[in-house]
Amino acid sequence: MDTVTFTILRYDPEKGSKPYYQDFEVKLNKPGMMILDGLNQIRWEQDGTLAFRRSCREGVCGSDGINVNGANMLTCVTHIEEVVKNGKLVIQPLPGMALVKDLVVDLSDFLQKYFLVKPYLISKTPAPARERLQSPEDRKKLDGLYECILCGCCSSSCPSYWADPEYLGPSALLNVWRFVEDSRDEGAEERLGLLDNRNGAWRCHTILNCIEACPKGLNPTQAIAGIKRALVERKF
Ligand code: FES
């Protein structure tokens, strides 16, 4: 295979036209090309107006979440050869989020929901002389939680998130659980209090899309199950 067809959703609100798909031929001119390499090739050699986000190119910043052949992923860490079907990639912006231009979506609502759940340590006891210590066993409980890079791939894959604009979504909920599970945090009550309603944890219907969509291999559904269990336990 010398070339791959990138079929990309284009949209420019300033031109006043409806979204449409445009084909680009991407040359596979180096081994192990990522989808981001293909998008860069298009922007640098074919159409400088193509809009997409990227920054670190290492799967760390979370800015390049995108939908390729129906699945959400990061363009910078996904090999073209991993996902290409019949020589073609259909590339669209993350679903369920407002479209800004081409492959760029508006993440404001997604990030507002993240900040709503207080994603920082809350302490009520006086600060110790040096630092708040944590045992290796308690630190281990945060594995699989702290690695979230806020790319939006999980929330944008969730039908409950699409259907209910008030639902916090799997990413925000995973981040709540990351702090509830932290032995140094003293804000579990106020965090859980935010979630015991139909737009909090109970809106999750265990559809499981979020697990497949997470490029870091995290399990938001399991985190939400932990929240649900804690919500039930605090009633008794
Ligand atoms: Fe930063 Fe892909 S460019 S995660």
Side-chain angles (χ1 to χ4, degrees), residues 36 53-65 74-77 149 151:
L36 179 57
R53 285 199 186 99
R54 83 282 177 273
S55 180
C56 71
R57 206 182 176 282
E58 295 294 340
V60 174
C61 73
S63 63
D64 58 331
L74 297 177
T75 63
C76 68
V77 292
I149 56 172
C151 61

Side-chain angles (χ1 to χ4, degrees), residues 7-60:
T7 300
I8 300 181
L9 187 130
R10 304 300 307 272
Y11 173 62
D12 184 350
E14 288 182 2
K15 292 194 177 145
S17 58
K18 291 184 178 163
Y20 63 95
Y21 288 94
Q22 185 175 6
D23 284 352
F24 296 93
E25 293 305 312
V26 168
K27 291 180 270 207
L28 299 185
N29 50 15
K30 58 179 183 181
M33 277 178 65
M34 303 293 180
I35 295 171
L36 179 57
D37 294 320
L39 292 174
N40 282 334
Q41 190 186 107
I42 292 169
R43 183 145 78 184
W44 294 336
E45 297 175 14
Q46 300 185 48
D47 185 345
T49 69
L50 178 64
F52 55 91
R53 285 199 186 99
R54 83 282 177 273
S55 180
C56 71
R57 206 182 176 282
E58 295 294 340
V60 174

Side-chain angles (χ1 to χ4, degrees), residues 109-122 150 166-180 185 187-195 197 199-201 227:
D109 178 70
F110 170 77
L111 292 173
Q112 270 164 18
K113 286 170 175 163
Y114 169 68
F115 289 117
L116 201 68
V117 301
K118 308 182 187 219
Y120 40 80
L121 283 178
I122 297 175
L150 297 177
E166 301 302 318
Y167 175 43
L168 289 171
S171 174
L173 292 172
L174 176 120
N175 279 287
V176 174
W177 194 237
R178 176 253 174 273
F179 286 100
V180 172
D185 186 73
E189 244 333 281
E190 69 192 83
R191 294 181 204 291
L192 292 173
L194 291 170
L195 306 178
N197 57 65
N199 302 320
I227 294 171

Side-chain angles (χ1 to χ4, degrees), residues 126-143:
R130 275 193 62 194
E131 60 190 301
R132 292 180 196 276
L133 297 174
Q134 186 169 55
S135 70
E137 294 72 30
D138 283 338
R139 163 61 189 80
K140 193 132 189 53
K141 288 184 190 162
L142 306 183
D143 286 347

